[in-house]
Amino acid sequence: MSRTCLSPPRVVLVALIATITALSGCTVGPDYRGAPQVANGAVRANTFVRAPAAGVTPTHAPSKWWTTLGDAKLDALIDAALAHNQDLHAAQARLRESRAQLQQQRAQELPTVSADAAALRMREPDLSGLQSLQQSNSNASSTNQNANASRGQGPLQLYSAGFDASWEIDLFGGTRRAIEAASAQAEAVDADLADTQVSLAAEVAQAYIGLRDQQQRLALANQSAELEQQTLALIRQRRARGVGTDADVERQTTQVETTRATLIPLDEQITESLDQLALLTGQAPGALDSELSAPASLPSLPATVAVDDPATLLQQRPDIRAAERRLASSNAQIGEHTADLFPKVTMLGFIGANASDPGHLTRKSSLTWLGVPYLQWDVLDFGRTRSAIRQAEASRDEATARYTQTVLAALQDANNALSRYGHQRDSVARLQQIEASADRSATLMRQRYGAGASSLIDLLDTEREQFSAQQNLVEGQADLLKDFVSLQKSLGLGWTPAAR
């Protein structure tokens, strides 16, 4: 039986490879075990503590919540904003940048290979003049021979081609931790993009509801001014017949002008809302005037609003996911810096060829190769690495606090939005009753004034109350719709996953 024995150098090489293989699975630093538990009682509850008794259904809420309002114009505006808004494009660019950084970090695990080639051509200087000065006349003939020999030499030529390679072996997981940190950071930026989508959809809806609210109140003000103008004409007729007075005419004129004065700020607000919607959808001011300038009613609020439980809130709110991913990234950075405490091994290699003729580069005799492991260990770094580790640990603690605060703020945001929505529903119900009562009172007072049973002052007071009640109802309905939008935003709805 034959036995193959390894030479001492080969034994060392095999031992080195075995050691590298064993250590390459070692990853220093703390493993990420998830975000800390925050407000367990509130999160595990079936419903939010501030959920109203009516108007809310504990079921799964649709992501595209705006479609439940039944307004095609609003749907088109939000779709346009999600496609053309420049803030959203900037967030998408940041996501692409973070993903490219992740790919760059992953490439650190692979060897670095470079190729080089060179061609050298050099001619030696003619030394015949220098030699003739140094030689005596007695050996002139010998000098001439040397000079002729020097002149006869051709230029020197050298051709070289080769490959260099280096590979830092990730013995203690520093590179793996860096990839882990970059991956979590990219996911955080992805969540930031989703948060931008949530905010953008809500902002467009708020601006659109504000526009329709302003248009409705402007239409009411115009109707009121027209009605008051008719009343003024009637008073002037009464005065002409000797029934009315100049004071009555002046009072009604003042009322007409006061109502018309409310048209100017409303018209200005409508212009600002149109320009805001144009900006949100990535268009120049005035681009939506022809499409949205015609007054339209407010969107229709659904009878009930679907609201998930608090645990689902933590999963779907993008700002919570972003905070959690940044916590994971900062935790991985601790291991990335901890790996700097240990040695680094880099495998260096070279293979190339050198020849005086390009055709000889492929000959075996022209080949040159080199392979060597390179060990580097910053033994005396004077605490720099440990300071970096402590800094990373402090960043991890800060990220933990920010995550906790984000969760608590999200719970507060959702509960406040639910509370506002429930109270505004009750407020709108009362405003509807007040508006109905004011309409009946105004109708009766006009009849009494026409019959001469009441004074003009009573009529004017009643009309002012009616106009105020109508304006308050429209504004209250708009506020309820805005509270609905705020509720959807607080639940983290309105985003779609980014394309890979």
Side-chain angles (χ1 to χ4, degrees), residues 137-252:
N137 293 331
S138 58
N139 54 7
S141 59
S142 176
T143 303
N144 291 333
Q145 293 177 358
N146 292 335
N148 293 332
S150 178
R151 294 189 188 98
Q153 293 180 354
L156 296 178
Q157 298 182 94
L158 179 64
Y159 298 91
S160 175
F163 295 90
D164 292 293
S166 64
W167 180 33
E168 181 178 331
I169 302 174
D170 192 20
L171 292 178
F172 299 97
T175 302
R176 291 191 293 275
R177 290 299 190 193
I179 294 174
E180 181 183 342
S183 178
Q185 180 63 27
E187 291 170 346
V189 177
D190 191 357
D192 289 339
L193 172 60
D195 195 40
T196 303
Q197 291 176 329
V198 170
S199 299
L200 178 61
E203 192 173 359
V204 172
Q206 297 274 12
Y208 180 78
I209 293 170
L211 172 65
R212 295 313 188 193
D213 168 40
Q214 294 149 11
Q215 289 175 336
Q216 286 288 303
R217 288 189 287 127
L218 180 63
L220 284 174
N222 278 318
Q223 293 174 7
S224 180
E226 183 178 352
L227 183 61
E228 291 168 354
Q229 185 66 40
Q230 294 174 2
T231 303
L232 177 59
L234 178 61
I235 293 172
R236 285 173 176 168
Q237 291 175 6
R238 289 167 62 90
R239 184 190 63 177
R241 294 195 301 266
V243 179
T245 64
D246 290 339
D248 291 342
V249 174
E250 292 301 326
R251 288 193 189 98
Q252 184 62 21

Side-chain angles (χ1 to χ4, degrees), residues 13 41 45 48 51 58 100 131 133-134 156 194 254 257 277 283 300 314 348 404 411 436 460 481 498 500:
L13 179 60
F48 290 93
Q131 290 177 352
L133 291 176
Q134 293 177 345
L156 296 178
T254 301
E257 295 302 324
L277 286 170
Q283 302 179 69
S300 301
L314 302 187
L348 303 176
T404 303
L411 290 171
L460 294 179
L481 282 166
R500 291 289 176 180

Side-chain angles (χ1 to χ4, degrees), residues 27-336:
T27 303
V28 297
D31 292 329
Y32 183 66
R33 304 190 184 280
Q37 298 295 322
V38 181
N40 289 338
V43 171
R44 294 176 181 176
N46 293 329
T47 59
F48 290 93
V49 65
R50 302 299 182 194
V56 173
T57 304
T59 57
H60 180 65
S63 178
K64 292 187 176 182
W65 50 265
W66 52 87
T67 58
T68 63
L69 297 177
D71 194 309
K73 290 284 188 183
L74 175 60
D75 296 346
L77 286 172
I78 293 181
D79 289 342
L82 293 176
H84 304 295
N85 181 266
Q86 297 306 306
D87 289 335
L88 191 60
H89 287 176
Q92 292 168 342
R94 287 192 294 271
L95 177 59
R96 294 195 301 271
E97 179 184 4
S98 66
R99 287 177 176 174
Q101 291 173 349
L102 173 59
Q103 293 298 326
Q104 182 181 19
Q105 194 63 55
R106 284 174 175 166
Q108 298 298 323
E109 285 189 310
L110 304 176
T112 299
V113 181
S114 61
D116 61 84
L120 174 65
R121 182 179 177 88
M122 183 184 71
R123 182 179 182 84
E124 291 186 350
D126 187 357
L127 303 179
S128 59
L130 179 61
Q131 290 177 352
S132 62
L133 291 176
Q134 293 177 345
Q135 296 292 335
S136 63
N137 293 331
S138 58
N139 54 7
S141 59
S142 176
T143 303
N144 291 333
Q145 293 177 358
N146 292 335
N148 293 332
S150 178
R151 294 189 188 98
Q153 293 180 354
L156 296 178
Q157 298 182 94
L158 179 64
Y159 298 91
S160 175
F163 295 90
D164 292 293
S166 64
W167 180 33
E168 181 178 331
I169 302 174
D170 192 20
L171 292 178
F172 299 97
T175 302
R176 291 191 293 275
R177 290 299 190 193
I179 294 174
E180 181 183 342
S183 178
Q185 180 63 27
E187 291 170 346
V189 177
D190 191 357
D192 289 339
L193 172 60
D195 195 40
T196 303
Q197 291 176 329
V198 170
S199 299
L200 178 61
E203 192 173 359
V204 172
Q206 297 274 12
Y208 180 78
I209 293 170
L211 172 65
R212 295 313 188 193
D213 168 40
Q214 294 149 11
Q215 289 175 336
Q216 286 288 303
R217 288 189 287 127
L218 180 63
L220 284 174
N222 278 318
Q223 293 174 7
S224 180
E226 183 178 352
L227 183 61
E228 291 168 354
Q229 185 66 40
Q230 294 174 2
T231 303
L232 177 59
L234 178 61
I235 293 172
R236 285 173 176 168
Q237 291 175 6
R238 289 167 62 90
R239 184 190 63 177
R241 294 195 301 266
V243 179
T245 64
D246 290 339
D248 291 342
V249 174
E250 292 301 326
R251 288 193 189 98
Q252 184 62 21
T253 301
T254 301
Q255 179 67 22
V256 172
E257 295 302 324
T258 301
T259 302
R260 286 177 175 172
T262 63
L263 304 179
I264 299 175
L266 284 172
D267 194 58
E268 179 184 357
Q269 293 171 14
I270 289 173
T271 301
E272 292 176 354
S273 296
L274 287 170
D275 289 346
Q276 182 184 9
L277 286 170
L279 176 63
L280 291 173
T281 55
Q283 302 179 69
L288 297 175
D289 289 3
S290 59
E291 181 181 352
L292 300 177
S293 291
S297 59
L298 290 167
S300 301
L301 192 68
T304 58
V305 179
V307 177
D308 287 312
D309 53 55
T312 305
L313 171 74
L314 302 187
Q315 299 174 2
Q316 65 190 13
R317 272 199 53 142
D319 57 339
I320 295 178
R321 295 189 298 109
E324 187 275 332
R325 289 290 79 200
R326 288 191 168 89
L327 172 58
S329 178
S330 62
N331 186 83
Q333 291 173 20
I334 299 175
E336 181 182 358

